[in-house]
Amino acid sequence: MSREVVVWDFNIVVTMAREGRFRNFYGELARYGEFRRTEFYGLLLGRLAEPEVFLETVRREREARVIAFQDLGRAIPLRTVFTFCPRNFLERARKALLPFAKELAGRRFYVRLERRGFKGEILSPEAERALDRALLEELEGRGNPGGIDFQDPDAVVVLETIGDRCGVGLLTRETRDRYDFVRVG
């Protein structure tokens, strides 16, 4: 009898700005949704009813109170999560990225992989280039070519791996401009 492994579904990755005060940071976030620690220091996975509302709340709180969310380094909203092993990572990542093609049509973008785990087994620069190519080919095939731009992209497709789990999100220019804490590492 086989047992199916259930992976906790998350839709945001949050990192600390610096070492220290983890307990306070964790407590501050808990008011907004369910967060879980990971095996990686200063990295939390969250499940929020509305990630966009959370981002806006953080922005407003930081404007109103200097010390609000002072330990927040980055917050990356995610649209989908999948499990993988090094052998099937690129195949699964490609499948997860293709739904973004409609939003990337005619736009400048790049893929960024923040890998935690599988050191030496998944090479971030190689994976990023392969996934950039896959999206470019998909856009070309749809008749709406896009382009890679690292200096001033319209969007960044983000993959955040945490062990054998990977979250995927799309950070538009508007989102990155509005929330200084929503950025690639």
Side-chain angles (χ1 to χ4, degrees):
M1 180 171 170
S2 68
R3 283 180 45 196
E4 183 177 326
V5 176
V6 176
V7 176
W8 188 69
D9 192 25
F10 55 98
N11 59 5
I12 195 163
V13 171
V14 177
T15 64
M16 288 187 67
R18 57 190 171 282
E19 291 188 28
R21 298 177 25 100
F22 184 79
R23 187 172 302 204
N24 292 338
F25 181 57
Y26 189 68
E28 187 173 25
L29 292 174
R31 296 183 301 154
Y32 301 98
E34 185 179 0
F35 286 87
R36 292 194 181 174
R37 297 173 186 238
T38 69
E39 61 269 29
F40 301 96
Y41 182 79
L43 178 74
L44 294 167
L45 303 179
R47 180 169 38 203
L48 306 172
E50 298 180 69
E52 298 78 18
V53 171
F54 172 74
L55 298 178
E56 188 59 27
T57 299
V58 171
R59 186 190 66 77
R60 283 194 325 265
E61 287 291 317
R62 288 174 83 168
E63 285 179 355
R65 299 180 303 127
V66 175
I67 64 168
F69 294 98
Q70 67 181 349
D71 294 319
L72 176 66
R74 295 185 310 125
I76 305 296
L78 305 168
R79 293 195 192 166
T80 189
V81 175
F82 63 90
T83 58
F84 67 92
C85 67
R87 183 180 70 261
N88 67 15
F89 175 73
L90 280 177
E91 173 191 331
R92 289 189 172 216
R94 183 181 184 281
K95 185 177 178 182
L97 294 186
L98 291 183
F100 293 100
K102 184 176 180 180
E103 294 171 82
L104 295 172
R107 299 180 84 185
R108 296 169 304 163
F109 66 92
Y110 68 92
V111 173
R112 174 65 69 217
L113 169 61
E114 181 74 28
R115 183 199 46 76
R116 297 172 192 88
F118 296 113
K119 183 176 181 178
E121 296 180 76
I122 296 175
L123 304 175
S124 297
E126 289 177 13
E128 290 169 347
R129 284 191 293 273
L131 295 170
D132 279 337
R133 280 192 304 276
L135 279 170
L136 288 172
E137 289 170 6
E138 180 69 17
L139 292 170
E140 186 69 34
R142 291 177 178 217
N144 291 313
I148 303 299
D149 185 340
F150 296 103
Q151 301 303 314
D152 189 28
D154 298 312
V156 180
V157 182
V158 181
L159 292 96
E160 296 270 343
T161 70
I162 302 93
D164 66 350
R165 297 166 288 175
C166 181
V168 184
L170 183 68
L171 307 181
T172 63
R173 178 192 317 276
E174 296 78 21
T175 299
R176 294 186 331 268
D177 287 348
R178 183 162 182 82
Y179 308 110
D180 65 344
F181 53 91
V182 176
R183 63 184 183 282
V184 294

